[in-house]
Amino acid sequence: MMNIHGQRPDTLASSDISSPEAISHVPYAKLPELGAAEMARGIKAGRWTSRELVEAHVARIRQIQPLIGAIAVPLFEEARRAAAEADRLTASGEPLGPLHGVPVSVKESLDAAGTPSTWGLAGRTAPSSEDDPAVAALRRAGAVVLAKTNAMQLLMGCETVNPVFGRTSSPWNPAGRSSGGSSGGEAALIAAGGSPLGLGTDVGGSIRTPAHFCGVHGLKPTPGRVASRPPAGIVHICREAAEMACTGPLARKVEDLALAMEVLAAPETLQANPLQRPGETRPAELRIGYYTSDGILPPSPAVERAVLDAAEALRARGVTVKPFRLPEPALALQQFYALMSAAGAEGIAETAGTDALVPQVEGIRRSFGRSRTANRMLALILRGVGQKIAGTHIVPCLGRKTRAELGQAVELRQAYREKFAAEMERQQVDVLLSPPFLTPAIPHDHSLAMTYEGSYALLYNYLGMPAGVVSLSKVRDGEAAVMRVVRSRDRLVRAAVQADPNSTGLPVGVQVAAAPWREDRVLAVMDMLEKLFRDRPDYPPGKLAAALLPIAGN
């Protein structure tokens, strides 16, 4: 075993490690810059050991953790034991799993045997007796779980902060910008080189928003594609809303997402809906639709430009690309909030018990707890003072629902899913490109003013469609310096605009979505975009984010 103490991580461009010859000579401190599939191939070829990979990542985490606060539960000793066993199996010549010996990380809310899953609540201290099905699948594939990563309290919001583990920051600007949420710890850790691959969860953008903020790739599969288990004691969203949630992977390389999905896909879903690798689905044979605005609130200039750049890059390679017109986007927005708030304030109170709530979640609790009469009156007032988005699309839909109302909401959701699928067929598109979020990474606590923030991502939770974010670009000087002209009094519009200044250099991603069970199409387009953009100087996953920053102690 090599001595890692005192080593300083260097930067290695992705193009420098693309050949087997280069990979075989990767310096020890640069091992965390490889992808998960590369690590697995290297272990099997004898280029490095699982123990070396684990120690290199532990060293990296110790450098970046004070900056970004991504780790909730370190599992270093457990990982060292698992790595030693992996190396024993490698030497024995026994068959090895697809992720054999590769260090990975998992979101804190996912059960890992022997550790609590607090969801950001200090009172949830009981350790889990068994792994979440997705965590178990990673272990069966040979992966070594290195840590559990920080998440937004109750997984409710586009930032990551809670009273138990504190705040997770963007590795690109720890002092000023959020990592996103609720899987913010996972995305930040991967972006900074603390893990090559990890698990997040997503009910309204919780994988895709952090991927966009932190400059990595992430995939929200079709609900049901990855097996899951209802978490004990978590009752703040109703079953009908939980049906929109799923577990999925984050990584710096699209091939790692594809590999993870081969490992994670529930066997019972594969017979009816096989999962193909990106190379087995030809993007040139797909019809790509794109949109840059939902017609309610347009995104930042950099976010819009990234979608247009992606569309043009595909078109230049002979892919059919055309604008797409969203059918009734307001309905999806309104009904998503109706379902998410259906358990009311009582649901949040039952989950949280006596634990303190961060301001973001406390604000949600209050808004979910208002009576219908109070919501109607508040909506009228908001519209009267120019707060059209909240007064029209959010507040009137909030609050506890009866069983009959939930049944009607589910029927409406199914009808909208059928309408959306018919519209994709009518407009002759197979895959959609769109913004993943309104803005680049928001300032810390800015979500207190941006209650509409997840609209571009939550659409695909409501539709039950697989959707990924591929990180392609960064905010440019002109896009951050020019304040968008806003004449609206709507505070949500103004809050979105206020996230743009001083955002130069922050990552920007593009969302890719396809019909239910067609993760292969999503991954194929993400793979093609990665290949088209990865040699550009502003490609975010091309270097480790925190390597660009001064690291304490070095």
Side-chain angles (χ1 to χ4, degrees):
M1 177 59 58
M2 299 181 185
N3 184 356
I4 64 171
H5 298 293
Q7 291 197 19
R8 187 187 191 92
D10 300 314
T11 301
L12 181 64
S14 59
S15 59
D16 293 334
I17 57 175
S18 58
S19 69
E21 294 79 11
I23 290 175
S24 65
H25 295 95
V26 173
Y28 183 73
K30 295 180 180 180
L31 288 175
E33 301 186 30
L34 299 173
E38 292 170 321
M39 292 179 190
R41 290 192 291 266
I43 289 174
K44 292 172 184 176
R47 297 189 188 104
W48 43 71
T49 65
S50 177
R51 293 174 67 190
E52 287 172 340
L53 289 172
V54 165
E55 293 299 344
H57 282 85
V58 169
R60 180 68 176 165
I61 288 170
R62 284 175 172 158
Q63 292 172 319
I64 61 177
Q65 176 67 6
L67 280 173
I68 61 176
I71 297 292
V73 183
L75 299 171
F76 300 158
E77 292 308 312
E78 295 90 335
R80 286 174 172 130
R81 290 193 293 271
E85 175 61 16
D87 290 337
R88 185 193 67 77
L89 289 174
T90 303
S92 74
E94 296 184 32
L96 305 179
L99 287 169
H100 179 78
V102 176
V104 301
S105 46
V106 300
K107 188 174 182 177
E108 196 272 343
S109 60
L110 293 169
D111 288 344
T115 70
S117 299
T118 70
W119 292 58
L121 299 172
R124 286 178 59 88
T125 57
S128 303
S129 60
E130 58 182 334
D131 288 337
D132 177 89
V135 177
L138 288 181
R139 292 199 210 263
R140 285 195 301 271
V144 173
V145 178
L146 190 61
K148 297 184 76 175
T149 52
N150 201 18
M152 183 65 182
Q153 189 178 46
L154 300 188
L155 315 191
M156 301 183 79
C158 67
E159 298 190 64
T160 291
V161 60
N162 63 71
V164 182
F165 304 113
R167 183 187 300 279
T168 302
S169 301
S170 164
W172 299 90
N173 183 351
R177 298 282 170 159
S178 170
S179 63
S182 62
S183 308
E186 198 58 54
L189 185 69
I190 292 169
S195 170
L197 173 69
L199 289 180
T201 63
D202 192 315
V203 73
S206 289
I207 288 172
R208 291 159 290 154
T209 298
H212 166 62
F213 279 18
C214 292
V216 298
H217 310 317
L219 177 66
K220 178 201 83 69
T222 308
R225 174 67 88 179
V226 177
S228 62
R229 182 175 62 239
I234 300 298
V235 297
H236 58 285
I237 62 173
C238 65
R239 176 179 57 82
E240 291 78 2
E243 290 170 353
M244 300 187 291
C246 53
T247 301
L250 297 96
R252 294 188 301 274
K253 302 199 175 198
V254 175
E255 76 162 331
D256 293 342
L257 299 181
L259 176 59
M261 286 307 300
E262 291 180 13
V263 168
L264 295 170
E268 60 269 22
T269 71
L270 295 175
Q271 283 190 330
N273 302 286
L275 184 66
Q276 297 174 310
R277 298 212 71 180
E280 299 168 341
T281 301
R282 293 176 55 83
E285 298 173 356
L286 299 174
R287 303 164 298 178
I288 311 294
Y290 72 91
Y291 57 95
T292 59
S293 175
D294 63 3
I296 301 171
L297 183 58
S300 298
V303 176
E304 179 178 7
R305 186 258 308 160
V307 175
L308 296 174
D309 283 355
E312 182 54 36
L314 292 170
R315 186 182 290 115
R317 295 306 187 277
V319 181
T320 299
V321 182
K322 62 180 76 174
F324 180 78
R325 183 176 179 84
L326 285 171
E328 295 188 79
L331 184 147
L333 176 66
Q334 293 161 4
Q335 290 302 307
F336 177 88
Y337 281 113
L339 285 167
M340 288 299 292
S341 65
E346 298 93 335
I348 295 176
E350 186 175 349
T351 295
T354 59
D355 280 303
L357 300 176
V358 295
Q360 290 89 338
V361 179
E362 176 58 29
I364 293 171
R365 186 197 65 78
R366 289 196 303 269
S367 67
F368 283 11
R370 286 190 294 263
S371 68
R372 293 185 182 181
T373 300
N375 273 333
R376 284 196 294 267
M377 292 179 61
L378 179 58
L380 285 172
I381 294 170
L382 289 171
R383 292 196 295 270
V385 297
Q387 308 305 306
K388 181 179 178 181
I389 293 173
T392 303
H393 300 301
I394 301 176
V395 171
C397 310
L398 299 180
R400 193 173 183 88
K401 309 294 187 299
T402 65
R403 294 308 309 172
E405 289 169 334
L406 277 171
Q408 293 170 356
V410 170
E411 290 177 4
L412 185 60
R413 180 173 63 189
Q414 181 58 33
Y416 183 74
R417 290 177 175 181
E418 293 170 3
K419 179 175 183 175
F420 198 95
E423 193 62 22
M424 287 182 68
E425 183 59 33
R426 188 187 72 80
Q427 297 188 44
Q428 296 187 323
V429 300
D430 305 305
V431 176
L432 292 168
L433 305 181
S434 67
F437 194 86
L438 288 169
T439 70
I442 60 173
H444 293 308
D445 292 327
H446 200 63
S447 64
L448 290 167
M450 287 181 64
T451 51
Y452 172 77
E453 77 283 335
S455 62
Y456 286 88
L458 64 81
L459 171 66
Y460 295 109
N461 296 90
Y462 189 70
L463 288 167
M465 293 169 58
V469 164
V470 55
S471 185
L472 297 181
S473 185
K474 297 177 188 174
V475 181
R476 298 170 182 167
D477 286 332
E479 294 166 330
V482 179
M483 191 78 167
R484 284 183 278 169
V485 176
V486 176
R487 296 182 176 87
S488 173
R489 290 182 294 163
D490 197 312
R491 72 177 185 88
L492 298 184
V493 176
R494 304 185 78 84
V497 171
Q498 289 162 2
D500 289 344
N502 303 312
S503 63
T504 299
L506 293 177
V508 180
V510 172
Q511 184 168 220
V512 182
W517 309 109
R518 296 313 305 259
E519 288 86 358
D520 62 307
R521 290 179 169 177
V522 174
L523 289 167
V525 173
M526 291 175 69
D527 180 66
M528 187 172 188
L529 288 170
E530 178 184 52
K531 288 179 170 65
L532 292 173
F533 282 80
R534 67 185 176 189
D535 291 328
R536 300 189 183 191
D538 65 345
Y539 178 68
K543 56 187 67 175
L544 300 183
L548 306 177
L549 304 168
I551 297 177
N554 285 329

